Amino acid sequence: MSEPLGSEGTTRRLPVLDKDRTPEDDVPVPEPAPEPAPGSGRFWSARRVPAAVVALLLAALAGVLLYDIAAVRADRPPLRVRRELARQLAERPLDDVWVLVGAGVAAALGLWLILLAVTPGLRDVLPMRRPDPDVRAGLHRGAAGLVLRDRAMEVAGVQSVQVRAGRRRADVRAVSHFRDLDDVRADLDAVLGDAVRGLGLARPPALSVRVRRPGRKG
């Protein structure tokens, strides 16, 4: 069988029709969305103020000690403070009140520094979910509370709202001047539940909603 000729005498191949192909086969199949990366842990504080205070104290003590050692090497008497401290440590027993107080203060300061070293700090920053492993974000608790308050004020019957957003729980205290309190509470649970999920937090806080009537004036 001869093929049809084109306008210039060239041959042109006819399109091949697939009888088994349906219109649904031409619809592009969307690719699945990538799985979001797991939420990041809490943000660690730099602890600049405690570190600066400890560094200054250690530098001052080391400077005084080095000066005293250099003075003794130069055939000068040691500092009176060091002589008095050595005498007190030599004469006072271990069960003396001031010795126990000094040991307790030193132990408390040491435990405080250890606690600062092993805890992350920055409790006001709530870690968010990580859609990309290279992206890390956090949301301030005050900003989260403002978002929840604005969404709660959109509910019919709500006169005023107070929101305290924490790391584990968000306390919502609403005042309703009309509508049934159970209906207002149900609407707040639904609206605030969607708002909490919309914040994109790695660990969404649990909601605690309370609704009351406004107090009587006078």
Side-chain angles (χ1 to χ4, degrees):
M1 180 178 181
S2 62
E3 296 182 353
L5 298 178
S7 59
E8 299 180 357
T10 59
T11 59
R12 183 176 55 187
R13 185 178 299 276
L14 294 176
V16 179
L17 298 179
D18 189 356
K19 297 181 180 180
D20 298 331
R21 190 175 182 84
T22 60
E24 288 78 6
D25 296 334
D26 297 332
V27 178
V29 179
E31 296 182 358
E35 291 291 335
S40 59
R42 286 177 55 188
F43 290 82
W44 281 76
S45 173
R47 312 287 191 186
R48 292 184 177 89
V49 175
V53 171
V54 173
L56 290 175
L57 290 177
L58 291 178
L61 292 176
V64 172
L65 182 60
L66 289 176
Y67 173 81
D68 188 44
I69 293 176
V72 172
R73 293 291 185 180
D75 296 333
R76 294 183 180 181
L79 293 177
R80 183 178 178 181
V81 176
R82 191 165 72 115
R83 295 199 307 268
E84 183 66 21
L85 180 60
R87 187 182 66 82
Q88 292 290 341
L89 292 177
E91 294 178 358
R92 290 183 180 273
L94 295 178
D95 57 352
D96 186 78
V97 176
W98 289 108
V99 175
L100 296 177
V101 170
V105 171
L109 290 176
L111 291 176
W112 177 62
L113 293 176
I114 293 175
L115 182 64
L116 292 179
V118 299
T119 54
L122 293 181
R123 299 176 60 88
D124 289 340
V125 180
L126 304 175
M128 303 180 68
R129 291 193 299 268
R130 303 178 66 177
D132 188 273
D134 297 330
V135 177
R136 190 183 185 201
L139 182 64
H140 198 276
R141 289 196 299 178
L146 287 177
V147 172
L148 297 180
R149 183 181 67 84
D150 292 342
R151 292 295 303 274
M153 289 298 297
E154 298 175 358
V155 177
V158 175
Q159 182 180 14
S160 62
V161 181
Q162 292 181 352
V163 179
R164 183 181 178 184
R167 293 191 300 112
R168 301 182 183 276
R169 190 178 67 176
D171 294 326
V172 181
R173 303 293 179 265
V175 176
S176 176
H177 57 295
F178 71 93
R179 294 184 66 198
D180 186 72
L181 294 182
D182 292 336
D183 295 339
V184 175
R185 185 180 298 107
D187 291 346
L188 285 174
D189 289 336
V191 170
L192 295 179
D194 294 338
V196 168
R197 288 188 292 270
L199 293 176
L201 299 177
R203 297 179 181 85
L207 281 175
S208 175
V209 180
R210 295 183 182 179
V211 185
R212 63 178 179 85
R213 293 297 186 193
R216 295 182 179 179
K217 297 182 180 180

PDB file of all heavy atoms in Angstrom, residues 9 11 17 24 30 46 48 63 90 102 107 118 120 125 135 137-138 140 145 148 151 182 189 192 195 204 209-210 212:
ATOM      1  N   GLY A   9       5.443  16.374  -2.874  1.00  0.00           N
ATOM      2  CA  GLY A   9       5.799  15.059  -3.362  1.00  0.00           C
ATOM      3  C   GLY A   9       6.509  14.195  -2.350  1.00  0.00           C
ATOM      4  O   GLY A   9       6.974  13.121  -2.694  1.00  0.00           O
ATOM      5  N   THR A  11       6.720  11.921   1.194  1.00  0.00           N
ATOM      6  CA  THR A  11       5.809  11.026   1.904  1.00  0.00           C
ATOM      7  C   THR A  11       5.565  11.549   3.315  1.00  0.00           C
ATOM      8  O   THR A  11       6.435  12.163   3.934  1.00  0.00           O
ATOM      9  CB  THR A  11       6.418   9.619   1.981  1.00  0.00           C
ATOM     10  OG1 THR A  11       7.668   9.700   2.655  1.00  0.00           O
ATOM     11  CG2 THR A  11       6.603   9.047   0.594  1.00  0.00           C
ATOM     12  N   LEU A  17      -3.444   5.543  15.735  1.00  0.00           N
ATOM     13  CA  LEU A  17      -4.483   5.670  16.751  1.00  0.00           C
ATOM     14  C   LEU A  17      -4.499   4.423  17.616  1.00  0.00           C
ATOM     15  O   LEU A  17      -4.439   3.295  17.127  1.00  0.00           O
ATOM     16  CB  LEU A  17      -5.859   5.843  16.076  1.00  0.00           C
ATOM     17  CG  LEU A  17      -6.020   7.099  15.196  1.00  0.00           C
ATOM     18  CD1 LEU A  17      -7.411   7.119  14.569  1.00  0.00           C
ATOM     19  CD2 LEU A  17      -5.764   8.352  16.008  1.00  0.00           C
ATOM     20  N   GLU A  24      -9.079   9.486  30.006  1.00  0.00           N
ATOM     21  CA  GLU A  24      -8.482   9.605  31.326  1.00  0.00           C
ATOM     22  C   GLU A  24      -6.974   9.394  31.287  1.00  0.00           C
ATOM     23  O   GLU A  24      -6.249   9.848  32.189  1.00  0.00           O
ATOM     24  CB  GLU A  24      -9.122   8.593  32.293  1.00  0.00           C
ATOM     25  CG  GLU A  24     -10.564   8.947  32.695  1.00  0.00           C
ATOM     26  CD  GLU A  24     -11.557   8.609  31.615  1.00  0.00           C
ATOM     27  OE1 GLU A  24     -11.143   7.991  30.603  1.00  0.00           O
ATOM     28  OE2 GLU A  24     -12.747   8.955  31.770  1.00  0.00           O
ATOM     29  N   PRO A  30      -0.638  13.909  39.156  1.00  0.00           N
ATOM     30  CA  PRO A  30       0.205  14.760  40.015  1.00  0.00           C
ATOM     31  C   PRO A  30       1.189  13.924  40.817  1.00  0.00           C
ATOM     32  O   PRO A  30       0.871  12.827  41.293  1.00  0.00           O
ATOM     33  CB  PRO A  30      -0.816  15.459  40.925  1.00  0.00           C
ATOM     34  CG  PRO A  30      -2.000  14.540  40.938  1.00  0.00           C
ATOM     35  CD  PRO A  30      -2.033  13.900  39.583  1.00  0.00           C
ATOM     36  N   ALA A  46      22.240  30.966  73.874  1.00  0.00           N
ATOM     37  CA  ALA A  46      23.695  31.165  73.921  1.00  0.00           C
ATOM     38  C   ALA A  46      24.197  31.377  75.337  1.00  0.00           C
ATOM     39  O   ALA A  46      25.402  31.252  75.587  1.00  0.00           O
ATOM     40  CB  ALA A  46      24.073  32.366  73.063  1.00  0.00           C
ATOM     41  N   ARG A  48      24.639  34.076  77.106  1.00  0.00           N
ATOM     42  CA  ARG A  48      25.712  35.072  77.054  1.00  0.00           C
ATOM     43  C   ARG A  48      25.943  35.733  78.414  1.00  0.00           C
ATOM     44  O   ARG A  48      27.077  35.950  78.827  1.00  0.00           O
ATOM     45  CB  ARG A  48      25.387  36.121  75.995  1.00  0.00           C
ATOM     46  CG  ARG A  48      25.416  35.600  74.566  1.00  0.00           C
ATOM     47  CD  ARG A  48      25.181  36.709  73.565  1.00  0.00           C
ATOM     48  NE  ARG A  48      25.287  36.238  72.184  1.00  0.00           N
ATOM     49  CZ  ARG A  48      24.284  35.751  71.489  1.00  0.00           C
ATOM     50  NH1 ARG A  48      23.089  35.672  72.054  1.00  0.00           N
ATOM     51  NH2 ARG A  48      24.442  35.325  70.252  1.00  0.00           N
ATOM     52  N   GLY A  63      43.684  36.791  87.890  1.00  0.00           N
ATOM     53  CA  GLY A  63      44.597  37.939  87.894  1.00  0.00           C
ATOM     54  C   GLY A  63      45.135  38.248  89.278  1.00  0.00           C
ATOM     55  O   GLY A  63      46.340  38.516  89.449  1.00  0.00           O
ATOM     56  N   ALA A  90      42.649  27.004 108.097  1.00  0.00           N
ATOM     57  CA  ALA A  90      43.452  26.151 108.972  1.00  0.00           C
ATOM     58  C   ALA A  90      42.856  26.031 110.368  1.00  0.00           C
ATOM     59  O   ALA A  90      42.996  24.986 111.026  1.00  0.00           O
ATOM     60  CB  ALA A  90      44.873  26.688 109.055  1.00  0.00           C
ATOM     61  N   GLY A 102      29.586  28.399 103.047  1.00  0.00           N
ATOM     62  CA  GLY A 102      30.393  28.599 101.843  1.00  0.00           C
ATOM     63  C   GLY A 102      30.345  27.403 100.911  1.00  0.00           C
ATOM     64  O   GLY A 102      30.251  27.560  99.679  1.00  0.00           O
ATOM     65  N   ALA A 107      28.317  24.864  95.975  1.00  0.00           N
ATOM     66  CA  ALA A 107      27.608  23.742  95.342  1.00  0.00           C
ATOM     67  C   ALA A 107      26.385  24.232  94.566  1.00  0.00           C
ATOM     68  O   ALA A 107      26.094  23.741  93.469  1.00  0.00           O
ATOM     69  CB  ALA A 107      27.188  22.731  96.408  1.00  0.00           C
ATOM     70  N   VAL A 118      23.086  22.062  80.415  1.00  0.00           N
ATOM     71  CA  VAL A 118      22.394  20.891  79.864  1.00  0.00           C
ATOM     72  C   VAL A 118      20.967  21.199  79.428  1.00  0.00           C
ATOM     73  O   VAL A 118      20.304  20.324  78.851  1.00  0.00           O
ATOM     74  CB  VAL A 118      22.376  19.738  80.890  1.00  0.00           C
ATOM     75  CG1 VAL A 118      23.786  19.315  81.252  1.00  0.00           C
ATOM     76  CG2 VAL A 118      21.605  20.135  82.141  1.00  0.00           C
ATOM     77  N   PRO A 120      18.186  23.621  77.166  1.00  0.00           N
ATOM     78  CA  PRO A 120      18.264  24.457  75.963  1.00  0.00           C
ATOM     79  C   PRO A 120      17.923  25.919  76.195  1.00  0.00           C
ATOM     80  O   PRO A 120      18.475  26.801  75.550  1.00  0.00           O
ATOM     81  CB  PRO A 120      17.255  23.799  75.012  1.00  0.00           C
ATOM     82  CG  PRO A 120      16.307  23.091  75.905  1.00  0.00           C
ATOM     83  CD  PRO A 120      17.093  22.645  77.097  1.00  0.00           C
ATOM     84  N   VAL A 125      10.353  30.453  72.480  1.00  0.00           N
ATOM     85  CA  VAL A 125      10.384  30.139  71.051  1.00  0.00           C
ATOM     86  C   VAL A 125       9.892  28.706  70.853  1.00  0.00           C
ATOM     87  O   VAL A 125      10.488  27.761  71.371  1.00  0.00           O
ATOM     88  CB  VAL A 125      11.799  30.305  70.467  1.00  0.00           C
ATOM     89  CG1 VAL A 125      11.804  29.972  68.978  1.00  0.00           C
ATOM     90  CG2 VAL A 125      12.294  31.732  70.689  1.00  0.00           C
ATOM     91  N   VAL A 135      15.968  23.975  56.464  1.00  0.00           N
ATOM     92  CA  VAL A 135      15.218  25.121  56.968  1.00  0.00           C
ATOM     93  C   VAL A 135      14.763  24.821  58.391  1.00  0.00           C
ATOM     94  O   VAL A 135      14.190  23.765  58.655  1.00  0.00           O
ATOM     95  CB  VAL A 135      13.993  25.424  56.074  1.00  0.00           C
ATOM     96  CG1 VAL A 135      13.186  26.582  56.648  1.00  0.00           C
ATOM     97  CG2 VAL A 135      14.440  25.738  54.661  1.00  0.00           C
ATOM     98  N   ALA A 137      12.803  26.857  61.683  1.00  0.00           N
ATOM     99  CA  ALA A 137      12.085  28.068  62.061  1.00  0.00           C
ATOM    100  C   ALA A 137      11.438  27.865  63.418  1.00  0.00           C
ATOM    101  O   ALA A 137      11.199  26.739  63.869  1.00  0.00           O
ATOM    102  CB  ALA A 137      11.030  28.422  61.004  1.00  0.00           C
ATOM    103  N   GLY A 138      11.157  28.984  64.059  1.00  0.00           N
ATOM    104  CA  GLY A 138      10.494  28.971  65.355  1.00  0.00           C
ATOM    105  C   GLY A 138       9.481  30.100  65.428  1.00  0.00           C
ATOM    106  O   GLY A 138       9.577  31.095  64.709  1.00  0.00           O
ATOM    107  N   HIS A 140       7.407  32.639  68.155  1.00  0.00           N
ATOM    108  CA  HIS A 140       7.366  33.159  69.521  1.00  0.00           C
ATOM    109  C   HIS A 140       6.007  32.864  70.146  1.00  0.00           C
ATOM    110  O   HIS A 140       4.965  32.925  69.474  1.00  0.00           O
ATOM    111  CB  HIS A 140       7.641  34.659  69.519  1.00  0.00           C
ATOM    112  CG  HIS A 140       8.045  35.185  70.866  1.00  0.00           C
ATOM    113  ND1 HIS A 140       7.129  35.536  71.838  1.00  0.00           N
ATOM    114  CD2 HIS A 140       9.276  35.406  71.406  1.00  0.00           C
ATOM    115  CE1 HIS A 140       7.769  35.953  72.920  1.00  0.00           C
ATOM    116  NE2 HIS A 140       9.066  35.884  72.683  1.00  0.00           N
ATOM    117  N   GLY A 145       0.003  33.296  70.578  1.00  0.00           N
ATOM    118  CA  GLY A 145      -1.154  33.715  71.354  1.00  0.00           C
ATOM    119  C   GLY A 145      -1.987  34.771  70.645  1.00  0.00           C
ATOM    120  O   GLY A 145      -3.229  34.749  70.706  1.00  0.00           O
ATOM    121  N   LEU A 148      -4.107  33.040  67.928  1.00  0.00           N
ATOM    122  CA  LEU A 148      -5.256  32.340  68.505  1.00  0.00           C
ATOM    123  C   LEU A 148      -6.301  33.329  69.017  1.00  0.00           C
ATOM    124  O   LEU A 148      -7.512  33.077  68.887  1.00  0.00           O
ATOM    125  CB  LEU A 148      -4.784  31.430  69.639  1.00  0.00           C
ATOM    126  CG  LEU A 148      -3.839  30.292  69.240  1.00  0.00           C
ATOM    127  CD1 LEU A 148      -3.456  29.469  70.466  1.00  0.00           C
ATOM    128  CD2 LEU A 148      -4.459  29.407  68.185  1.00  0.00           C
ATOM    129  N   ARG A 151      -8.267  34.692  66.015  1.00  0.00           N
ATOM    130  CA  ARG A 151      -9.209  33.694  65.481  1.00  0.00           C
ATOM    131  C   ARG A 151     -10.387  33.492  66.425  1.00  0.00           C
ATOM    132  O   ARG A 151     -11.529  33.289  65.978  1.00  0.00           O
ATOM    133  CB  ARG A 151      -8.483  32.367  65.253  1.00  0.00           C
ATOM    134  CG  ARG A 151      -7.462  32.396  64.135  1.00  0.00           C
ATOM    135  CD  ARG A 151      -8.133  32.619  62.785  1.00  0.00           C
ATOM    136  NE  ARG A 151      -9.140  31.608  62.517  1.00  0.00           N
ATOM    137  CZ  ARG A 151      -8.878  30.429  61.964  1.00  0.00           C
ATOM    138  NH1 ARG A 151      -7.625  30.130  61.605  1.00  0.00           N
ATOM    139  NH2 ARG A 151      -9.838  29.557  61.736  1.00  0.00           N
ATOM    140  N   ASP A 182     -22.321  26.613  75.719  1.00  0.00           N
ATOM    141  CA  ASP A 182     -21.845  25.361  75.123  1.00  0.00           C
ATOM    142  C   ASP A 182     -21.635  25.514  73.616  1.00  0.00           C
ATOM    143  O   ASP A 182     -20.665  24.958  73.061  1.00  0.00           O
ATOM    144  CB  ASP A 182     -22.856  24.244  75.395  1.00  0.00           C
ATOM    145  CG  ASP A 182     -22.916  23.880  76.875  1.00  0.00           C
ATOM    146  OD1 ASP A 182     -21.905  24.130  77.579  1.00  0.00           O
ATOM    147  OD2 ASP A 182     -23.955  23.373  77.312  1.00  0.00           O
ATOM    148  N   ASP A 189     -13.629  25.557  70.107  1.00  0.00           N
ATOM    149  CA  ASP A 189     -12.804  24.348  69.967  1.00  0.00           C
ATOM    150  C   ASP A 189     -12.499  24.055  68.509  1.00  0.00           C
ATOM    151  O   ASP A 189     -11.356  23.705  68.156  1.00  0.00           O
ATOM    152  CB  ASP A 189     -13.525  23.152  70.603  1.00  0.00           C
ATOM    153  CG  ASP A 189     -13.551  23.237  72.123  1.00  0.00           C
ATOM    154  OD1 ASP A 189     -12.673  23.919  72.687  1.00  0.00           O
ATOM    155  OD2 ASP A 189     -14.451  22.626  72.739  1.00  0.00           O
ATOM    156  N   LEU A 192     -10.251  27.166  67.008  1.00  0.00           N
ATOM    157  CA  LEU A 192      -8.900  27.194  67.562  1.00  0.00           C
ATOM    158  C   LEU A 192      -8.130  25.920  67.237  1.00  0.00           C
ATOM    159  O   LEU A 192      -6.907  25.946  67.127  1.00  0.00           O
ATOM    160  CB  LEU A 192      -8.969  27.402  69.075  1.00  0.00           C
ATOM    161  CG  LEU A 192      -9.531  28.764  69.514  1.00  0.00           C
ATOM    162  CD1 LEU A 192      -9.579  28.854  71.032  1.00  0.00           C
ATOM    163  CD2 LEU A 192      -8.697  29.901  68.937  1.00  0.00           C
ATOM    164  N   ALA A 195      -6.765  26.621  63.967  1.00  0.00           N
ATOM    165  CA  ALA A 195      -5.718  27.642  64.082  1.00  0.00           C
ATOM    166  C   ALA A 195      -4.418  27.052  64.618  1.00  0.00           C
ATOM    167  O   ALA A 195      -3.330  27.391  64.143  1.00  0.00           O
ATOM    168  CB  ALA A 195      -6.195  28.775  64.984  1.00  0.00           C
ATOM    169  N   PRO A 204       2.190  20.668  68.466  1.00  0.00           N
ATOM    170  CA  PRO A 204       1.059  21.567  68.713  1.00  0.00           C
ATOM    171  C   PRO A 204       0.594  21.467  70.157  1.00  0.00           C
ATOM    172  O   PRO A 204       0.422  20.373  70.701  1.00  0.00           O
ATOM    173  CB  PRO A 204      -0.018  21.063  67.742  1.00  0.00           C
ATOM    174  CG  PRO A 204       0.731  20.301  66.691  1.00  0.00           C
ATOM    175  CD  PRO A 204       1.907  19.697  67.402  1.00  0.00           C
ATOM    176  N   VAL A 209     -10.044  25.460  76.790  1.00  0.00           N
ATOM    177  CA  VAL A 209     -10.961  26.560  76.500  1.00  0.00           C
ATOM    178  C   VAL A 209     -11.985  26.668  77.622  1.00  0.00           C
ATOM    179  O   VAL A 209     -12.596  25.662  78.003  1.00  0.00           O
ATOM    180  CB  VAL A 209     -11.665  26.350  75.139  1.00  0.00           C
ATOM    181  CG1 VAL A 209     -12.607  27.508  74.847  1.00  0.00           C
ATOM    182  CG2 VAL A 209     -10.638  26.194  74.026  1.00  0.00           C
ATOM    183  N   ARG A 210     -12.145  27.884  78.119  1.00  0.00           N
ATOM    184  CA  ARG A 210     -13.167  28.170  79.130  1.00  0.00           C
ATOM    185  C   ARG A 210     -13.942  29.408  78.688  1.00  0.00           C
ATOM    186  O   ARG A 210     -13.352  30.394  78.255  1.00  0.00           O
ATOM    187  CB  ARG A 210     -12.543  28.407  80.503  1.00  0.00           C
ATOM    188  CG  ARG A 210     -11.850  27.176  81.091  1.00  0.00           C
ATOM    189  CD  ARG A 210     -11.316  27.470  82.474  1.00  0.00           C
ATOM    190  NE  ARG A 210     -10.603  26.323  83.028  1.00  0.00           N
ATOM    191  CZ  ARG A 210     -10.014  26.321  84.231  1.00  0.00           C
ATOM    192  NH1 ARG A 210     -10.066  27.411  84.994  1.00  0.00           N
ATOM    193  NH2 ARG A 210      -9.394  25.234  84.641  1.00  0.00           N
ATOM    194  N   ARG A 212     -17.184  32.051  79.830  1.00  0.00           N
ATOM    195  CA  ARG A 212     -18.031  32.527  80.925  1.00  0.00           C
ATOM    196  C   ARG A 212     -18.786  33.771  80.487  1.00  0.00           C
ATOM    197  O   ARG A 212     -18.484  34.375  79.461  1.00  0.00           O
ATOM    198  CB  ARG A 212     -17.194  32.841  82.166  1.00  0.00           C
ATOM    199  CG  ARG A 212     -16.185  33.958  81.963  1.00  0.00           C
ATOM    200  CD  ARG A 212     -15.417  34.255  83.233  1.00  0.00           C
ATOM    201  NE  ARG A 212     -14.427  35.304  83.050  1.00  0.00           N
ATOM    202  CZ  ARG A 212     -14.706  36.596  83.132  1.00  0.00           C
ATOM    203  NH1 ARG A 212     -15.948  37.007  83.396  1.00  0.00           N
ATOM    204  NH2 ARG A 212     -13.757  37.498  82.954  1.00  0.00           N
TER     205      ARG A 212
END
